Amino acid sequence: MRGARGGLGVRGLLAPLRRLRPSSSLRATFTVSFVAVACVVTVLVGILSYSAAARLVRVDQQTVFAEVVRDLRELVELDPLTPEDFTPSGSGGPRDDLIRSGRTDVQVLGPAGQILDEGAPGLPVRPADRRTAGAARAGVMVEHGEVEVGDDRYRVATVALGGGRGAVQVAQEFSDTEDLLRDLQQRTLLFVSGVVLSAGLFGWWLARRQTRRLVQLASAAEDVARTGHLGIQVPVAGRDEVGRLGRSFDRMLVRLAQSEEDQRRLVQDAGHELRTPLTSLRTNISLLRRIDELPAGVREELVDDLAQEARELTDLVNELVDLAAGQSGTEPVQRVQLADVAEDVAATARRRTGREVVVRAEGGTTVEGRAGALQRAVSNLVENAAKFDRGGSGAIEVVVARGGVGGPFPGDHADQAESGELRQLGGLAGRDDAGDAEVVRVEVLDRGPGVAGCDLERIFDRFYRAPDARSLPGSGLGLSIVRAVAAAHGGAPFAFRREGGGLVIGFTVRGV
């Protein structure tokens, strides 16, 4: 049953993972993204840091020069100083104070603007400076924002001594500050480049580390797509999203492998079971060629046999379809009242068999599930009870109650469980895996011949029929459908013999 469609289904599921090829595209994307972010952040920090530092240095230099000029103006306004007072002397005059306080260059001008004491280096004297040197009021000033002296640039201020006695020029070099800032700029660029390069290397390493598991997962997906083998080892390490993806992919492969195995077994079992009625049909059809030679009683027996074989073959095919439909999971999940489902099944069974079917319900019987599948499971149990208790006069009881096997209603199941008569197949059938409040059970009780203890463990297997039941019509698929429906709803089937004769058989599902 796998065929082309099954193969395409697996490839379709693996298609998103095949896109995660072990190429460098995802790794390169991570690396480039990391480098881009690091580059933008580093460049912004570098620019802002350099701008702030340069602004602070320039403002500080300007402030120092402004203070020197202000002190000089206050000095000449307070005392009538002459140019000789600013000439170099060993006694520490005003000139030494200016040079010491501001690390400035001082040049002294005479009344006509001539240079009396040249600075180091000598400063240019402009017409405005000469006019200031002849000014009558002390403290008159002219300032030049940028003056080139050789290869250097200076700020220059000329302050009048007053009374036409001359002027004093003070200068502050700022080209060395700009050289310092230029050096800082180069260092910042080198730092930014180093950070970007380091970020690239670290980003590549980090991307390689983060994508390594994705590459391994993609390789596993490609191996599955290429070989069709679902037993590939999937890397599932880690607790992050990649680890979750690996675990999900591993669970998906397990489910696919289980589905493939179920399909294979179903095909094999169905093929085995179909051979018997088909062989009988072929034999009877071959006899039809000589039907005119057969006695009337033999003819009637042959026709009845053909009709019986056709009915059994039809029932087998229908149950195979029901089993496949129950495993497909295409029916939508909704809230279902199991008590109502049991009432509908009981009403149908009364019409078909003429037997009395009693439904008892206790507690909440609401579950989340597929109504059609649950109804099919309950119907199979009731029909099974009616078939194996043909001559019975007692009512077939259907019990729907909250709680696992051995629960509060009916009350005699615990003794059966303790005596080893109870057979259940995993899931939530007992009290161990879930509390009673989370489990709803469905039981069908009859007074038929029951089932031998050695057969209780196998009655839910596909096509299995107890030796005492092989002469009765049926395919052995009804109870396997019950098991599949119970497992799909988080539960499990169970069966045990009733005290006084008969059988209790049913299943549990997870309640809400």
Side-chain angles (χ1 to χ4, degrees), residues 336-346 371 374-376 378-379 400:
V336 180
Q337 283 286 348
L338 273 182
D340 296 340
V341 171
E343 290 286 358
D344 294 340
V345 171
L374 291 170
Q375 185 171 13
R376 187 181 303 115
V378 178
S379 179
V400 185

Side-chain angles (χ1 to χ4, degrees), residues 131-195:
R131 288 194 297 272
T132 303
R137 186 168 63 87
V140 174
M141 182 188 71
V142 60
E143 185 174 359
H144 308 288
E146 182 175 344
V147 176
E148 292 187 1
V149 179
D151 295 332
D152 299 323
R153 289 175 295 171
Y154 288 80
R155 295 185 185 91
V156 179
T158 302
V159 178
L161 296 176
R165 292 188 295 271
V168 177
Q169 288 184 304
V170 291
Q172 182 189 55
E173 182 183 358
F174 64 84
S175 58
D176 57 346
T177 302
E178 295 301 323
D179 292 339
L180 176 64
L181 293 177
R182 193 176 300 110
D183 182 66
L184 177 62
Q185 184 182 47
Q186 293 175 354
R187 291 175 180 270
T188 302
L189 289 176
L190 290 175
F191 173 76
V192 169
S193 301
V195 169

Side-chain angles (χ1 to χ4, degrees), residues 4 9 31 38 65 85 103 115 136 142 158 181 213 219 284 291 331 357 372 393 455 459 471 473 508:
T31 304
F65 183 71
D85 294 325
R103 300 187 302 278
I115 299 176
V142 60
T158 302
L181 293 177
R213 289 178 294 159
S219 299
N284 290 331
I291 193 169
E331 186 181 0
V357 182
S393 58
D455 293 323
I459 60 174
S471 60
T508 59

